Amino acid sequence: MAEVKVALALGSGAARGWAHIGVIKALEEMGVRINVVAGTSIGSLVGAGYASGRLAEIEEWVCEMGRWEVWNLLDFGFNQGGLIGGEKVFNKAREQFGAKNIEDLPMTYGAVATDLYSGREMWLRKGDLYDVSRASCAMPGVLAPAAINGRWLIDGGLVNPVPVSLCRALDADFVIAVHLNSQLTSKALEQRGRNIPPQTETEQVQRQPEIENNDETGFLDNLRSSGQHYFETVKDRFRANPHKPPGMFSVMSSAIDIMQERITKTRMAGDPPDILIQPKLGHIGIMEFQRGNEAIDIGYETTHRMRDLIMDEIELYRQRSG
């Protein structure tokens, strides 16, 4: 039988991306041999750890990450093009897991980023592993852009949230894609009216459902853990108003979520993966990085429930190619 070259396409999703660790653990337990890893945004960071053989160390780091640890990794840089500079966390990853170049990895690896000025999709296949994942993770407004090869690069989720196409370009035969944001649209519909003032029946028909403010709450909770009185006061004032409009961070993160979900559906319609894994992570905010244990467990359990389908599909492909 011919050997099947299996690829993982790890999608964007910020803190929800720790679920990728659980997905990979489950696939390894099944005996699925991964030959290619392509990642977008947080998927590029987890994929970097896996491709370099340091997934266990990254899992340990994530599982020990509390709110205070998350706060300590945030280097605020309002004048750098984002709320967070981003160098601190990626330098920490480089120190803790080892500096490596993509060309030296034992596994084929690639990451997706977006050129800030041209909007072009960039496939990053060379250079420092954590510089590349840093560029792929640069969420607009949150993480500052990264300069690579004379270009300012931002989050690859703006153009290719689940990089199936990059896996195909890297000569993969069989692509397993992990989509982290599939539950977000339905979640917003379920939360209809939660923070909306009373309206007439006509207004209720015309008004669109609001996006839940969960992401902002999680982000402010992280800030609260630092003991900053200002943010505590602001949050209390917001909570005092039961009909408050969504805040700036909530609007920004929800808009990015919606955009990436639409782009993902469009791209997968034209280039579907062989297996699509969609952990239900809508209840985890994009900045709730301290919920790594929970996200990992969800990714692991979701993948294990698909065991029979995954193994059968790989075997069918192997037989057709044999």
Side-chain angles (χ1 to χ4, degrees), residues 16 34 74 101 141 155 165 172 186 189 208-209 244 283 288 305 322:
R16 304 176 188 116
I34 306 299
L74 302 181
N101 287 330
D155 199 323
S165 57
S186 60
L189 292 174
Q208 296 296 318
K244 63 179 174 62
H283 61 289
E288 294 184 305
R305 286 196 296 270

Side-chain angles (χ1 to χ4, degrees), residues 192 197-208:
R192 175 182 296 202
Q199 307 155 20
T200 66
E201 183 175 351
T202 302
E203 289 173 330
Q204 289 175 355
V205 172
Q206 294 176 345
R207 186 155 184 166
Q208 296 296 318

Side-chain angles (χ1 to χ4, degrees), residues 66-80:
R67 288 182 175 180
W68 183 248
E69 286 76 16
V70 172
W71 171 261
N72 282 335
L73 290 172
L74 302 181
D75 50 340
F76 290 97
F78 297 94
N79 61 343
Q80 300 178 37

Side-chain angles (χ1 to χ4, degrees), residues 3-208:
E3 179 67 25
V4 180
K5 192 174 184 180
V6 179
L8 271 180
L10 303 179
S12 59
R16 304 176 188 116
W18 299 143
H20 288 315
I21 298 173
V23 171
I24 295 170
K25 287 176 61 181
L27 291 173
E28 286 188 329
E29 288 184 9
M30 296 175 196
V32 177
R33 181 185 176 190
I34 306 299
N35 308 101
V36 176
V37 178
T40 294
S41 196
I42 188 67
S44 71
L45 178 59
V46 176
Y50 180 53
S52 60
R54 305 303 294 269
L55 187 70
E57 290 89 340
I58 287 184
E59 180 183 7
E60 181 180 358
W61 180 49
V62 169
C63 291
E64 293 176 352
M65 192 178 292
R67 288 182 175 180
W68 183 248
E69 286 76 16
V70 172
W71 171 261
N72 282 335
L73 290 172
L74 302 181
D75 50 340
F76 290 97
F78 297 94
N79 61 343
Q80 300 178 37
L83 179 65
I84 301 165
E87 302 308 321
K88 194 172 181 180
V89 63
F90 287 92
N91 286 338
K92 175 71 172 179
R94 186 181 293 104
E95 292 170 7
Q96 191 157 341
F97 310 121
K100 293 186 178 180
N101 287 330
I102 294 175
E103 302 92 317
D104 301 326
L105 296 177
M107 184 183 300
T108 302
Y109 170 85
V112 178
T114 306
D115 186 297
L116 177 61
Y117 294 110
S118 71
R120 289 181 55 191
E121 178 178 342
M122 307 298 297
W123 289 352
L124 306 178
R125 294 277 297 113
K126 295 180 180 179
D128 181 272
L129 188 61
Y130 291 103
D131 281 348
V132 164
S133 58
R134 160 74 179 82
S136 182
C137 289
M139 183 184 296
V142 179
L143 192 65
I148 292 184
N149 298 329
R151 298 176 183 267
W152 285 106
L153 302 181
I154 56 176
D155 199 323
L158 298 176
V159 290
N160 195 353
V162 185
V164 175
S165 57
L166 177 53
C167 289
R168 303 287 187 199
L170 295 176
D171 297 325
D173 300 317
F174 191 95
V175 178
I176 300 173
V178 186
H179 178 27
L180 304 175
N181 300 321
S182 62
Q183 196 186 10
L184 300 179
T185 303
S186 60
K187 179 192 173 189
L189 292 174
E190 290 170 3
Q191 298 298 329
R192 175 182 296 202
R194 185 166 182 174
N195 292 318
I196 304 176
Q199 307 155 20
T200 66
E201 183 175 351
T202 302
E203 289 173 330
Q204 289 175 355
V205 172
Q206 294 176 345
R207 186 155 184 166
Q208 296 296 318

Side-chain angles (χ1 to χ4, degrees), residues 71 220 223-224 226 228-236:
W71 171 261
L220 292 176
L223 296 178
R224 182 185 61 183
S226 71
Q228 297 294 319
H229 176 71
Y230 171 76
F231 287 106
E232 183 66 35
T233 302
V234 170
K235 189 169 68 170
D236 286 343

